[in-house]
Amino acid sequence: MELEKRFDFKNVDAKWADYWVEANVFHAEPSDKPAYVITIPPPNVTGILHMGHALNNTLQDIIIRYKRMSGFEVCWMPGTDHAGIATQNVVEKQLAKEGTNRHEVGREPMLERLWAWKQDYGDTIINQLKKIGASCDWPRTAFTMDDNYSLAVRRVFVDLYQKGLIYQGERIINWCPRCRTALSDEESEHSDKQGSLTHIRYPLKDDPDKSIVVATTRPETMLGDTAVAVNPADERYADFIGKEVVLPLMHRTIPIVPDEFVDPAFGTGAVKVTPAHDPNDFEMGRRHDLPLINIMNEDGVMNEHAGKYEGRDRFDARKAVVEDLKAKGFFVKQEDHTHAVGHCYRCHSVVEPYLSKQWFVKMEPLAKPAIEAVKTGKIKFHPARWEKVYMNWMENIRDWCISRQIWWGHRIPVWYDADGNPFAAMTEDEAQQMAGTTVLRQDEDVLDTWFSSWLWPFATFNWPEDNEDLKFFYPGDALFTASEIIFFWVARMVMAGYEFMGDLPFKDVFIHGTVRDAKGRKMSKSLGNALDPLEIVDEYGADALRFSLIHNSGQDLYISKDNFEVGRNFANKIWNASRLILMNVPDEVRLREDKSVVPDTDDLAGQWIISRLYSTLKAVSHAIENYRYSEAENLIYDFFWNNLCDWYLEIIKNQWSEASTQKVAVWVLEESVKMMHPFIPFVTEEIWSHLNPDQGPLCRQEWPKMHEQLIAPKIEEQMQTVIDIIVAVRNIRATWNISPKQGLDITITAEERDQAGLTENLELIRSRANIGRCDLTAEDAPAQNSATALIGRLKLTVPLGEHIDVDAEKKRLTKKVDELKRNHDSLEKRLSNENFLAKAPADVVGKEQERLQALAHEVRELESVLDNLG
C-alpha cells in the first residue's frame, strides 16, 4: 500500500466532508447506548463563519467525536437562530437601497422578503460548519422559527402568562432609535465615553434670585423634568425641600423633593428628575407620584412635549438646549466627564432610556432553582471562576423585557378585544373563544430572540410533545460558549430547563476564550485584523485550522496567519509517517484478522513506543474528559511527532524486514489515528481508509482500548536515558562543529545499578549517535580538553583533542562570549531607560526582556564550555 507522496488536503477535505454528510454517519436515535448530548449555540442565520465560531465548534466536535467513538449515542443538535433584529436589519438595508422601507412595504410583504432571504442565505454558516468537519446530527437541523419550535414558544409564553410570570407594563427600557425597538439590559452594551457634565441653574419660584444647580450628562432631557431631588441628609439643601423651581426654557413649575437615592457627592448634590427618560428617575417618580413627560419620539426626534425643539434630533436638540441656556443665563458651566453609555448590540446606536409599554417576564421566581443548581454543583463551570459571574447576575436579576418592536420573529400570542382586554392563547381561535368575540387584533410586537433561544435544549426535540427523542436526549451533558452570552443564553436555558422540564439542561458549561490577534486585540472587521477561517481552510486545510486553534488555545487565543503552519505541518507529518509505514508493511500484516491483539515484542524500542502510546492515550482521555483540550492536543503532538516519528521510526529504519517491527509499527499507527481523530479528523479518516478499507469510517470506530498493563515506567525510563545520551552527543557535535559522520569515543560514568541497563542498550546508542568506543565506568573520566554533559545520575564525557584545535576553539569562544556580554550590557542599559519603558509597547518590552535572559543564559553556557577546555 502506498499513499500519494504529497498530502492533498483540498481533495481529502472535500471528499470526507461530503461523505460524512451523505452517509449520515453522525445521526443518532434512541438506543441502548448511554446518551451524550451537546447543546450547540445556534449561529444567527445572518452569520458567516468567523474564528470564534471555528474555535467554539472545534472544541465541541472534539468531545463529540471522542464520545461517539467511546460508545455513546451522541446527538449534537445543529441549527440556526432567526436573529430578529440582525436579520431584519439586513433586509431593511436592502429596502433602503431600493428607496423604500418596511412601513411602506407593509408587514406581510416584508415577512415574505425576510423568509425569502432566509431561504437563500440562512444555511450559509451551516454549510461552512460542515466544511470544517463539525460532526453534527445534520438531519435534525433546527431553526428557531420552525413550526414545531414556534408551538413551543407560544406554549411557554401562555404558560408563564397564566402563572402570572409574564406581565405588561410601562417601564423605562433600553430603546434603540435606529432599530426602533426595545432591548434587554444585556442587549445594551455599555462602554466608557468622553462626555460633558452640564451644570444648570434652576431659579426658585418664590425667590428667583436664589437657585439650585443641577448637573446632567443629557441636558436635552431637562425638557421633560418634573422635579429636582436632593438627599434629605444634605444640610446644604435643608431649606429647599418642599419649595418649587421654575424649569428653565419650559417655564413649568416643578417641586424640590427629598430622596435618599441622591448621592450628595455627585455633581452639585442636586439632580434633575426626568421619570420618562431615566430608570432611576422613573423609580423616584413613582415614590413621589410625579408626572411622566415623554419628550421624544421612537426615532430619537423630539416630540410636541419638547416645546420649540419639536422635530429636532436628540443630539441636535442637546446642542440647541445648551446654547439657549447660555443665552438666557441658566448655564453655569460644563466640564469633561467620562461615563458609561449604552449602545445597541446590533447597530451600535446610542441607546435611549425610554418610557414604553412592554411585555416583561418576572425572573426572580425562575432564578431560584437555577441558582441552587450551580450552588450545589449540579451544574459546573469550566473554568470555575465563571461561576461567580453567573451567580452575581442571577442573585441580582431584574425582570426581562421580552417585547420587540420589529416584525421578524415570534409574534406575541396575545389578542385584544375592542376594549383593549388582553387574551393570551395558543391560537387566534382559542383567543376568540376566551374573549367571546371574533373581532380581535393581535399584538403587533414580536418576542425577543432569546425568548426562543432559551428553549433550545428541549424545543429542538419537539417539546411540548411527549416523545422518545425528548425522553432519551434530555437532559443534555455539556454546553460550550463564550462568556458574553452567560446572561443572554446560558442562565436563561437553565431557568427554562427547570421551569418546563423539571431538570437541568446540561451538567457542564465550558467557557472558552476570545480569539485575538498577535497584539492582543479582539478580531473584528472594523479593526481590519480579522482572519477568515475559510481562507485558512483554503490555504492550509481544515485540519490545520482546527489543530492550530486548539494548539494555541488558553483562555484567550493570540493568533496570526503564521500560527496555522503548526497544524498544516502536523497534518503533513502524520501523512508522511503513515506513508512510510504503509510502504514497508505488507498487506497480510496491514489486513490481519487479529486486529484486537496487541503485538508482542522483546525489542526495547518496540516496548517503549507501545508503552508511550498507552501512557499518552490515558493522559489524553483524562484531559478530554476534563475539558483540557490544548493539553490533550499537545500530548498527541509530542507522542506522534517526537516519540513515534523522531525516534521510533528512525530507530527501526533498518528493521522493516522483521515481522515484529511491522506489526508494532502498523498497530501503533492504527491506534494513533484513532486517538488523533477528534482533533484532526480529515487526514486521519483518509489514512484509516487505506489501513482498513473494509471496516467503515474511522469516525464510527471504537476509541482505542486502554491496556494499562502495557504501560512500563521502567522501560520508558530506560529508553529516555538512551535518548538523552544520544541527544547529548549530538549537542556536543553541534557545539564543536564535529560532523555527524565522524565517529566519537565517549565515557559514561554511572553507578553500578545503572550499568546493566546501559550495557544492554549500548548498540542502540552507538548506532544512533555514531559512537566508536564507549567506556562504562564508576569513576569520573578526565574532563580536561573534553566536553561533558550530566544526564540524571550519569555523566557523559567526550574527549575533543582529536577532533578540534583546542587553542583555536578557546579563542573563538572567548571572542563569542565577549560579543554576547557587550550585547547583554547594551540591552540591559536600554531596559533600564525609563523613557524607553514609558514609550515602547508592552509586547516589545516583553520580547526585549526575554532576549536579555537568553543572552545571559548563552553567556553562562559558553563560559561553562570554556571551563571544560581548561
Side-chain angles (χ1 to χ4, degrees):
M1 170 62 63
E2 188 168 338
L3 297 178
E4 293 292 330
K5 190 170 184 179
R6 176 177 161 272
F7 174 45
D8 184 355
F9 66 80
K10 289 190 177 181
N11 283 335
V12 169
D13 287 0
K15 170 185 173 181
W16 291 109
D18 290 344
Y19 170 83
W20 289 329
V21 174
E22 290 166 7
N24 201 23
V25 293
F26 304 138
H27 183 56
E29 291 286 349
S31 69
D32 57 359
K33 296 179 182 179
Y36 186 83
V37 181
I38 280 188
T39 301
I40 194 174
N44 292 346
V45 288
T46 57
I48 58 171
L49 197 72
H50 58 61
M51 279 298 174
H53 291 130
L55 171 64
N56 178 270
N57 285 279
T58 299
L59 288 165
Q60 293 176 80
D61 194 53
I62 288 169
I63 198 163
I64 283 290
R65 288 179 183 267
Y66 166 77
K67 288 290 185 179
R68 189 181 289 118
M69 295 175 76
S70 298
F72 288 79
E73 192 71 50
V74 171
C75 183
W76 185 16
M77 174 73 74
T80 51
D81 192 295
H82 65 276
I85 295 175
T87 306
Q88 184 159 310
N89 276 346
V90 170
V91 177
E92 285 198 64
K93 287 177 182 177
Q94 292 178 350
L95 293 177
K97 289 179 181 178
E98 298 167 16
T100 186
N101 59 59
R102 67 175 166 123
H103 300 288
E104 291 178 2
V105 169
R107 186 170 194 138
E108 290 309 315
M110 177 68 174
L111 287 173
E112 289 175 9
R113 288 279 298 257
L114 285 157
W115 276 108
W117 187 92
K118 188 266 175 188
Q119 188 67 33
D120 290 342
Y121 302 106
D123 290 334
T124 298
I125 196 165
I126 291 293
N127 294 327
Q128 291 170 336
L129 289 173
K130 292 174 183 176
K131 194 170 181 179
I132 67 167
S135 62
C136 298
D137 192 341
W138 297 113
R140 292 184 181 273
T141 300
F143 176 54
T144 53
M145 284 174 64
D146 286 338
D147 289 344
N148 63 303
Y149 206 108
S150 297
L151 176 69
V153 171
R154 291 196 301 275
R155 177 74 272 159
V156 165
F157 184 97
V158 172
D159 183 73
L160 292 176
Y161 182 87
Q162 290 171 347
K163 290 176 179 176
L165 293 176
I166 283 182
Y167 65 93
Q168 193 178 35
E170 276 203 320
R171 298 285 188 277
I172 294 290
I173 47 88
N174 301 295
W175 182 266
C176 176
R178 156 63 183 80
C179 300
R180 298 196 195 184
T181 184
L183 302 172
S184 68
D185 290 340
E186 293 72 37
E187 291 168 324
S188 176
E189 298 177 341
H190 284 76
S191 58
D192 286 342
K193 297 292 181 184
Q194 184 65 44
S196 298
L197 196 61
T198 303
H199 294 249
I200 308 168
R201 184 174 66 83
Y202 286 38
L204 291 178
K205 175 188 174 185
D206 296 331
D207 190 355
D209 291 334
K210 290 184 178 180
S211 59
I212 191 166
V213 177
V214 301
T216 178
T217 57
R218 297 158 65 214
E220 73 282 4
T221 61
M222 65 160 291
L223 305 173
D225 284 1
T226 55
V228 170
V230 296
N231 192 297
D234 192 338
E235 295 179 0
R236 293 174 296 173
Y237 299 113
D239 295 337
F240 286 78
I241 294 172
K243 294 182 179 179
E244 293 180 321
V245 294
V246 177
L247 181 63
L249 307 182
M250 299 303 287
H251 313 297
R252 280 189 284 106
T253 300
I254 58 175
I256 300 173
V257 298
D259 199 290
E260 291 182 352
F261 174 79
V262 179
D263 179 5
F266 178 77
T268 65
V271 298
K272 56 191 280 305
V273 183
T274 321
H277 291 277
D278 183 273
N280 297 318
D281 291 6
F282 178 80
E283 295 301 327
M284 279 198 280
R286 295 173 92 180
R287 289 194 289 272
H288 298 284
D289 197 24
L290 300 173
L292 291 83
I293 302 175
N294 190 334
I295 59 167
M296 205 175 291
N297 294 322
E298 292 180 352
D299 58 358
V301 172
M302 311 306 281
N303 64 21
E304 68 277 9
H305 299 300
K308 73 173 190 176
Y309 305 97
E310 180 181 2
R312 288 178 180 258
D313 173 78
R314 53 183 170 154
F315 298 118
D316 183 41
R318 177 177 299 177
K319 294 177 184 176
V321 164
V322 171
E323 289 304 313
D324 288 347
L325 288 171
K326 289 178 178 178
K328 295 182 183 299
F330 297 113
F331 178 87
V332 177
K333 65 177 180 177
Q334 201 169 56
E335 55 193 13
D336 290 341
H337 178 67
T338 301
H339 60 130
V341 178
H343 292 78
C344 175
Y345 79 116
R346 279 298 166 198
C347 72
H348 309 297
S349 299
V350 173
V351 167
E352 191 68 36
Y354 193 72
L355 181 66
S356 181
K357 191 174 186 180
Q358 301 288 341
W359 288 95
F360 297 86
V361 179
K362 291 181 182 177
M363 299 302 285
E364 192 173 344
L366 298 175
K368 289 178 181 176
I371 290 171
E372 192 64 19
V374 173
K375 274 187 176 179
T376 57
K378 291 179 181 177
I379 295 176
K380 290 184 169 66
F381 279 81
H382 309 269
R385 62 189 174 87
W386 290 108
E387 179 184 317
K388 292 181 181 178
V389 177
Y390 171 94
M391 293 298 290
N392 183 58
W393 186 74
M394 292 292 279
E395 290 173 346
N396 296 280
I397 200 164
R398 300 201 294 182
D399 288 356
W400 175 16
C401 176
I402 57 170
S403 44
R404 298 291 181 270
Q405 289 65 51
I406 57 175
W407 293 343
W408 178 242
H410 297 277
R411 196 165 175 180
I412 291 176
V414 172
W415 286 261
Y416 303 91
D417 63 15
D419 296 325
N421 297 308
F423 301 93
M426 294 295 293
T427 65
E428 186 172 13
D429 288 344
E430 186 180 312
Q432 289 171 349
Q433 292 175 18
M434 295 167 67
T437 178
T438 58
V439 183
L440 297 175
R441 65 174 179 85
Q442 188 175 358
D443 197 300
E444 292 289 322
D445 293 348
V446 301
L447 290 161
D448 177 13
T449 294
W450 298 101
F451 192 87
S452 51
S453 302
W454 75 327
L455 313 179
W456 186 261
F458 52 88
T460 48
F461 293 110
N462 293 324
W463 181 91
E465 173 193 307
D466 188 21
N467 62 76
E468 289 304 309
D469 277 357
L470 190 60
K471 291 176 184 176
F472 187 76
F473 291 119
Y474 191 93
D477 292 273
L479 172 72
F480 290 71
T481 190
S483 61
E484 55 261 30
I485 57 173
I486 290 176
F487 315 133
F488 281 119
W489 194 47
V490 179
R492 288 171 181 162
M493 280 193 292
V494 178
M495 289 185 269
Y498 278 107
E499 180 66 17
F500 301 107
M501 295 297 295
D503 202 353
L504 47 73
F506 33 72
K507 305 178 194 72
D508 292 305
V509 180
F510 181 86
I511 304 296
H512 61 73
T514 300
V515 182
R516 301 183 181 276
D517 67 13
K519 295 180 179 178
R521 300 173 302 173
K522 186 174 181 179
M523 285 194 173
S524 69
K525 288 182 181 177
S526 60
L527 287 174
N529 65 343
L531 292 175
D532 181 351
L534 295 179
E535 285 185 13
I536 299 300
V537 168
D538 190 56
E539 186 173 345
Y540 295 90
D543 282 334
L545 172 76
R546 294 167 57 112
F547 192 86
S548 300
L549 282 174
I550 304 305
H551 187 75
N552 288 290
S553 66
Q555 267 308 288
D556 280 350
L557 286 77
Y558 298 84
I559 60 171
S560 64
K561 205 170 184 181
D562 293 344
N563 290 115
F564 296 98
E565 293 178 4
V566 173
R568 181 193 61 192
N569 293 344
F570 190 54
N572 287 335
K573 191 75 170 180
I574 294 169
W575 184 264
N576 292 335
S578 302
R579 182 172 182 270
L580 175 66
I581 292 170
L582 287 170
M583 284 172 59
N584 287 284
V585 172
D587 286 352
E588 59 266 25
V589 175
R590 176 173 62 87
L591 302 175
R592 68 202 181 283
E593 292 183 7
D594 57 341
K595 291 247 175 190
S596 62
V597 179
V598 184
D600 287 329
T601 177
D602 295 328
D603 176 58
L604 172 66
Q607 292 176 335
W608 169 73
I609 198 64
I610 289 174
S611 178
R612 288 296 307 127
L613 169 67
Y614 290 110
S615 294
T616 303
L617 177 66
K618 182 178 181 180
V620 166
S621 300
H622 185 262
I624 294 174
E625 293 281 3
N626 288 279
Y627 305 103
R628 300 199 301 268
Y629 298 114
S630 181
E631 176 186 326
E633 194 173 88
N634 286 325
L635 287 164
I636 285 169
Y637 183 92
D638 182 62
F639 168 75
F640 195 88
W641 193 301
N642 297 328
N643 297 161
L644 181 63
C645 296
D646 285 358
W647 288 102
Y648 182 70
L649 293 181
E650 281 295 311
I651 288 169
I652 65 166
K653 66 182 180 182
N654 296 319
Q655 301 172 23
W656 282 114
S657 60
E658 299 173 13
S660 64
T661 296
Q662 296 167 4
K663 289 177 181 178
V664 169
V666 79
W667 173 268
V668 171
L669 178 60
E670 286 176 343
E671 297 290 89
S672 295
V673 295
K674 289 179 188 176
M675 179 173 64
M676 294 186 292
H677 179 69
F679 299 86
I680 194 159
F682 290 93
V683 67
T684 51
E685 188 74 83
E686 178 67 15
I687 290 165
W688 179 263
S689 72
H690 292 279
L691 279 166
N692 297 286
D694 301 321
Q695 289 194 14
L698 176 57
C699 62
R700 301 299 302 194
Q701 301 304 310
E702 290 184 5
W703 185 249
K705 182 181 177 183
M706 188 63 210
H707 294 280
E708 191 109 25
Q709 76 281 7
L710 295 177
I711 297 176
K714 288 186 178 179
I715 291 290
E716 291 194 29
E717 183 182 350
Q718 200 173 347
M719 186 64 187
Q720 191 58 52
T721 300
V722 169
I723 289 171
D724 290 343
I725 292 171
I726 294 168
V727 169
V729 172
R730 289 174 178 174
N731 287 342
I732 288 169
R733 288 181 183 276
T735 300
W736 297 104
N737 298 317
I738 302 170
S739 168
K741 295 179 181 179
Q742 191 173 351
L744 292 176
D745 295 335
I746 66 172
T747 300
I748 300 173
T749 304
E751 298 176 15
E752 287 189 11
R753 55 177 168 163
D754 297 320
Q755 290 189 17
L758 286 168
T759 301
E760 291 174 16
N761 299 305
L762 279 181
E763 189 53 43
L764 178 56
I765 295 169
R766 284 196 182 102
S767 64
R768 302 316 310 153
N770 191 12
I771 300 301
R773 190 183 77 252
C774 179
D775 294 331
L776 278 177
T777 176
E779 303 295 328
D780 260 352
Q784 188 73 16
N785 292 344
S786 298
T788 61
L790 295 177
I791 305 161
R793 295 191 297 265
L794 311 179
K795 182 179 179 182
L796 174 69
T797 305
V798 180
L800 298 174
E802 296 179 13
H803 306 287
I804 65 170
D805 182 333
V806 175
D807 290 335
E809 282 300 314
K810 283 182 181 179
K811 290 177 182 178
R812 181 181 71 84
L813 290 175
T814 301
K815 184 178 179 182
K816 179 70 174 174
V817 167
D818 291 342
E819 180 186 345
L820 288 170
K821 283 182 175 180
R822 285 195 299 271
N823 291 341
H824 176 275
D825 293 345
S826 174
L827 185 55
E828 189 173 47
K829 186 177 180 181
R830 188 181 186 196
L831 286 169
S832 301
N833 186 320
E834 293 184 5
N835 192 40
F836 168 74
L837 295 174
K839 292 181 178 180
D843 60 322
V844 171
V845 174
K847 287 178 182 177
E848 293 289 68
Q849 288 172 336
E850 289 176 9
R851 192 159 72 90
L852 184 70
Q853 292 175 1
L855 286 168
H857 175 75
E858 193 173 357
V859 168
R860 288 195 298 272
E861 290 293 309
L862 289 180
E863 285 179 337
S864 175
V865 169
L866 279 168
D867 286 344
N868 284 336
L869 288 179

